[in-house]
Amino acid sequence: MFARAVKEYSKEEVLEVLHPAVAEWFDSNFPSLSPPQRLAIVPISEGKNVLISSPTGTGKTLTAFLSIISEIIRMGETGELDDSVYAIYVSPLRALNNDIYRNLEVPLREIRERNPGIPEIRHSVRTGDTTPSEKSKQLRKPPHILITTPETLSIILTAPKFREKLKSVRWVIVDEIHSLVENKRGSHLSLSLERLRYLTGRDFVRIGLSATINPLEEVARFLVGYENGRPRDCVIVETSWAKALDLALLSPVDDLVNTPSDLVSSKMYELISELVRMHRTTLIFTNTRSGTERVVFHLKKIMEPIEIDEAIAAHHSSLSRQVRGDVEERLKRGELRAIVSSTSLELGIDIGYIDLVVQIGSPKSVTRALQRVGRAGHKLHEVSKGRFIVVDRDDAVEVAVMLREAMRGRLDKVHIPMKPLDVLAQHIVGMAVERKWDVREAFDLVRSAYPFRDLSWEEFESVLKYLAGDYVQLESRKVYGKIWYDASEGKFGRRGKYIRVIYAANVGTIPDEVDAKVYTTDGKLVGSLEEEFLERLLPGDRFVLGGRVYEFVSARGLKVKVRPAYDQKPTVPSWFSEMLPLSYELAIEIGKFRELSFRMLDRGEDEELVRMIMEMSNANENAARAIYTYLKQQYLYLKSLGLRVEEMPSNRVIMIESYIDDAGRTHQVTHSLFGRRVNDALSRALAYLAGSRLRRNLGISVMDTGFSVIYPRGVEPVARIDELTEYDLRELLKRAVEKTELLRRRFRHVAARGLMILRNYKGYDISVNKQQISAQNLLKVVSEIDEFPLLKEAYREIMEDYMDIRGAQEVLEGIKSGEIRVLDVGKLDVPTPFAHGIILEGLSDLIFMEDKMSALRRFQREIEKILRE
């Protein structure tokens, strides 16, 4: 049963449940309670599971620890405190773990200084960086509070001696839970928590901490797990209202198409530099690592060197840990005026005082926008101030709606991977390392973890059979059994002593990724590509590398073959792999906003529309006018084609148009504003259907606002999105991806997680190139095995996590029921404004930015001419 915490406790009531020494320390350091402290400290002290959702800087972590520290002191006073672990704090970031260690050090030390007689509470960090000597020390004198990561927790559960110290655990804190639930690290942690629950033999208090997440009930189910088919009880504490927001949408110019791109760029950097000058410390977010470096370069150039050169820095995942750590320390010391990041500073590591967050472009989700802005005004009574700068019309519309939703407190829904069989395989090996298991007992344990609650017996047993080596054809590929499984006895256990070492050396869910080397067909090395980018490529795709265009031929391991295509344009932008996808929920809201805007324009309420845009997103006039002009031109153009308002593209109308480009290719554009993950699924299925009819591969261009299927010169479109309602979408997608780099790469990730391919063997790291070659060889073998669990998981991961097949199926069901209308306006000499970005997406690489802008301006002039006529 879930209950929303509504009772607010007074400070006196809170102090009463704390140990007197803790209460005295807390009372002298904090004159008042923060919102989560008023709601959550008492339920935690009562032994209830609690999920706390509250903005950054509202004291969530201290809220979680106060009752724990109090109770451990009481245990020490009554002689119950042993050399064991009583509380585990789990965080996805090692840097955050070190922050927590330092932040705990202060209250624990000060409480003892004021009360010399109370027992000492030991706390320490254990991660992959912990030295063997420190581990030995922790075994001799275990910390009462253990600070760790999901991966290390799963390893110590199998450590023969240290796991005995975990039987006493009474509390587990999961911090930054929003960053775990949406990926397989969260699935992995959920199984570790159930294994820990089995080890302790009783329930322990689970405390989840998150800044922004939705829906809270589902996250609570993830946190607490299931008992006998029902979720365990949980108290949900939501104080998302606790901090004031100051958000605004800004555009450097009012015409984002006709203004020369170099002028737009210079005006943008002038705007950013002005904001930096007006504030003490500004955190600037871009959506790509390359964008981060570009902003740092231009800011240093535009601002006086003496003023900013040493006071601005970049922070992103491609930089070394040492460089990132140095930047974080300089920021904490107040030495930086501005720091530019892609995604690496979203989570709650302590980075000191920030009074402004600037976001360049759309962060693609309300949740991410609030997480980023929440880094400003870190303390409770400070305002979280964010400025969103746009230089693209689609981004401007997105951010306007996003800020409206943010200020209304509406968040995107979290996506939790369900039944990842590779994670299950890893944990079954871990369980077998611990002891011999009754199969049904193990099955019940696994199903008590929320992501696995619907796991079928057939799926569970298929993983057992794979791990037990039942598929003899895999032995020729050096894949051997890691457990034994006796179906008649209903038992399984580990096979061989070395399995413990294999498990510990290969645990975790984050795949090894390195750049792939790119060679021409005659063997010349021309550069390297990120694997995530390589996943997108199909034979014939063209991309820019080192300022030149190449056509993708094939890939073997991490060796990519290409041929020069110097006289042709790229079809895949080189930054595509770094782009964040627009959330499905936000896409729907943008569709509703389009429909409302078209109705206002139809009624002649032009100025009212401009005012509405300014009010709903606190937009400056430049941004509001840019959005208005974009919508107005689309409206007038469609009116000139004879369309009524109710036929214009929105969340309820999918419009199709076709355009023949200068090379004679036909772009069949589908305006489906459902986010890139949904559009990725729909476009691949449609391109596969059309391509199978024509017996050739077709190109696709995918954006958040729609997609296009690109037909070669002289070939007419042969399929439409509404035809997909007659097919099994999952089966179509399976066929569409079965011979792609996407499947080959994702299968390697799955095979590594499922311990089919080892990343480390006998102390030696296996190179990613060797892993990939092994994966490609194994893929051929397992493709012949019916319902092989790891191949089944690779397809599930692609369709459900990488793409959004459920959202795509909802769209198709809407089409079938008539709730969503499909309207084909046929061939157009000039594409509609909403189609410009989709058609030109392939030309969006930096090297061809001027080509893109000149094409946009040409389209714009032609539309203006049509509208004048």
Side-chain angles (χ1 to χ4, degrees), residues 792-853:
K792 183 178 173 182
E793 171 56 24
Y795 279 117
R796 188 212 63 78
E797 180 183 305
I798 289 169
M799 293 184 204
E800 295 181 13
D801 303 343
Y802 180 74
M803 299 177 198
D804 181 2
I805 191 170
R806 288 175 186 154
Q809 285 168 330
E810 276 185 35
V811 172
L812 295 180
E813 284 162 13
I815 293 172
K816 198 165 190 175
S817 70
E819 289 178 25
I820 298 175
R821 182 178 178 185
V822 177
L823 179 71
D824 193 338
V825 298
K827 283 185 186 173
L828 301 177
D829 293 333
V830 182
T832 67
F834 284 1
H836 294 176
I838 300 169
I839 290 170
L840 298 173
E841 187 255 348
L843 297 180
S844 296
D845 207 343
L846 180 65
I847 197 79
F848 290 109
M849 182 56 78
E850 279 309 313
D851 286 345
K852 181 194 175 190
M853 293 309 297

Side-chain angles (χ1 to χ4, degrees), residues 326-394:
D326 178 58
V327 169
E328 289 160 19
E329 287 304 314
R330 288 175 64 201
L331 190 55
K332 284 179 203 174
R333 294 194 298 265
E335 295 172 6
L336 294 176
R337 289 291 305 281
I339 182 168
V340 189
S341 177
S342 49
T343 59
S344 54
L345 288 177
E346 281 181 358
L347 296 185
I349 58 172
D350 181 12
I351 55 173
Y353 179 80
I354 302 285
D355 54 347
L356 175 70
V357 166
V358 172
Q359 165 71 45
I360 301 173
S362 170
K364 298 293 180 181
S365 87
V366 180
T367 303
R368 190 177 294 110
L370 288 174
Q371 282 167 4
R372 292 180 172 186
V373 171
R375 303 316 311 262
H378 196 88
K379 292 179 181 171
L380 176 58
H381 300 295
E382 293 171 352
V383 174
S384 289
K385 187 175 182 181
R387 296 293 178 263
F388 293 73
I389 298 175
V390 292
V391 292
D392 173 270
R393 297 182 300 179
D394 284 317

Side-chain angles (χ1 to χ4, degrees), residues 184 421-423 745-756 789-791 793-795 797:
K184 290 187 177 183
L421 299 181
D422 49 352
V423 173
R745 306 281 148 188
R746 293 293 166 137
F747 179 71
R748 185 193 90 225
H749 298 172
V750 167
R753 288 189 203 101
L755 305 180
M756 190 180 198
L790 296 191
L791 180 57
E793 171 56 24
Y795 279 117
E797 180 183 305

